[in-house]
């Protein structure tokens, strides 16, 4: 006799539509009323707010699994930020009326998990803007962008680099730094060989170390990236650890 049928964990996703946004396109506009539940399926997006008249400032980055539409931590019903694609972004969209009408226990559990993950990523970036010094904030943003863009890559190889698809000015905004401060701190990291800059472009060198950096900071504290020298030492240690682990791979 066949066993009892189990409801698929994501059956509520069957009503979803997939949308594609090209780099630079606005996915959600600030002040708009959310008509859809929207989650990022691939790519990375930037939250942008308007301050002091027409001045626009980048606030945080979100990526795979983050919810940016109806019911999200970014605003339950009204969008507080413009959400703009940093690279090509694919989203999963469900009309909020359909989602609300068809609520099921598994759906509630799934959405709450996604909301919590989005809230954590957002709060971690806001905390760093408040708690870190200028250099620590820049390093955190670089590591965050690496994490946001890495899901589209294969497993990073030793020494692999990643060109960030955002200008130095945007990196500075995300870090709460002036253009001059951003240029100085990037130059310090470049002197140690962990970034390469060309005009407005920034490339992270040693991607595997960058991806592991914030976990190390969480364990050791912000002091381990308080200066370029300390940050370089931490990245080098992570590179050595990664090489040792890779050598054990079968």
């Amino acid at each position: 006799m066949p066993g009892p049928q189990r409801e698929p964990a994501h059956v509520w996703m069957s009503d979803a539509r997939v949308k594609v946004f090209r780099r630079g396109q606005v996915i959600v506009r600030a002040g708009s009323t959310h008509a859809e539940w929207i989650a990022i399926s691939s790519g990375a997006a930037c939250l942008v707010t308007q301050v002091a008249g027409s001045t626009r400032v980048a606030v945080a980055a979100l990526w795979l699994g983050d919810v940016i539409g109806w019911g999200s931590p970014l605003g339950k019903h009204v969008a507080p930020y413009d959400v703009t694609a940093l690279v090509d972004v694919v989203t999963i969209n469900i009309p909020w009326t359909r989602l609300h009408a068809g609520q099921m226990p598994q759906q509630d559990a799934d959405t709450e998990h996604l909301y919590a993950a989005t809230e954590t990523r957002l709060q971690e970036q806001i905390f760093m803007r408040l708690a870190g010094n200028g250099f620590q904030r820049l390093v955190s943003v670089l590591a965050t962008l690496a994490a946001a863009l890495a899901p589209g890559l294969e497993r990073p190889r030793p020494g692999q680099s990643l060109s960030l698809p955002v200008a130095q000015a945007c990196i500075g905004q995300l870090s709460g730094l002036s253009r001059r401060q951003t240029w100085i701190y990037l130059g310090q990291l470049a002197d140690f060989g962990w970034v390469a800059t060309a005009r407005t472009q920034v490339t992270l060198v040693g991607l595997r170390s960058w991806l592991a950096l914030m976990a190390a900071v969480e364990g050791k504290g912000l002091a381990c990236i308080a200066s370029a020298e300390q940050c370089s030492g931490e990245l080098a240690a992570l590179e050595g650890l990664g090489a040792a682990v890779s050598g054990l791979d079968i």
Side-chain angles (χ1 to χ4, degrees):
M1 293 289 291
Q5 290 188 343
R6 298 183 64 185
E7 180 181 294
H10 299 286
V11 67
W12 59 277
M13 286 283 192
S14 60
D15 292 320
R17 292 182 301 139
V18 173
K19 291 187 178 181
V20 178
F21 296 86
R22 300 305 178 190
R23 176 181 174 181
Q25 276 190 283
V26 176
I27 303 170
V28 176
R29 195 167 296 280
S32 63
T33 301
H34 290 308
E36 296 179 306
W37 183 92
I38 305 171
I40 298 175
S41 177
S42 69
C46 184
L47 309 186
V48 180
T49 188
Q50 187 166 314
V51 297
S54 60
T55 303
R56 291 165 56 79
V57 176
V59 176
L62 294 176
W63 58 97
L64 176 65
D66 287 322
V67 182
I68 56 177
W70 177 85
S72 77
L74 276 65
K76 299 295 183 183
H77 306 292
V78 178
Y81 306 104
D82 279 348
V83 182
T84 303
L86 283 173
V87 292
D88 288 355
V89 171
V90 178
T91 63
I92 295 173
N93 298 51
I94 304 175
W96 78 264
T97 50
R98 176 67 186 87
L99 191 72
H100 187 67
Q103 283 185 332
M104 298 173 289
Q106 184 60 53
Q107 173 187 311
D108 290 342
D110 291 341
T111 54
E112 285 303 319
H113 175 75
L114 294 174
Y115 293 158
T118 302
E119 178 72 18
T120 297
R121 284 180 179 170
L122 186 59
Q123 291 303 319
E124 284 176 347
Q125 292 177 67
I126 292 174
F127 168 79
M128 184 59 72
R129 287 177 71 98
L130 297 174
N133 64 31
F135 183 81
Q136 289 164 335
R137 296 199 304 271
L138 177 75
V139 168
S140 173
V141 166
L142 295 177
T144 295
L145 290 173
L149 299 167
L153 303 174
E154 296 180 358
R155 182 179 177 182
R157 303 180 304 275
Q160 184 174 347
S161 299
L162 173 67
S163 294
L164 300 179
V166 295
Q168 289 187 31
C170 181
I171 292 173
Q173 288 180 9
L174 285 167
S175 309
L177 300 173
S178 68
R179 292 194 179 198
R180 177 170 174 75
Q181 288 174 308
T182 304
W183 178 76
I184 290 172
Y185 292 144
L186 286 172
Q188 291 175 357
L189 286 168
D191 288 341
F192 282 98
W194 293 106
V195 302
T197 58
R199 296 186 179 179
T200 61
Q201 187 69 49
V202 176
T203 299
L204 300 181
V205 180
L207 177 58
R208 200 154 62 177
S209 294
W210 280 105
L211 290 173
L213 182 59
M214 293 317 293
V217 172
E218 186 175 345
K220 297 181 179 181
L222 284 172
C224 72
I225 56 168
S227 67
E229 183 175 6
Q230 289 168 296
C231 181
S232 177
E234 196 63 42
L235 288 166
L238 291 169
E239 184 176 52
L241 179 62
V245 171
S246 179
L248 296 175
D249 289 347
I250 298 176

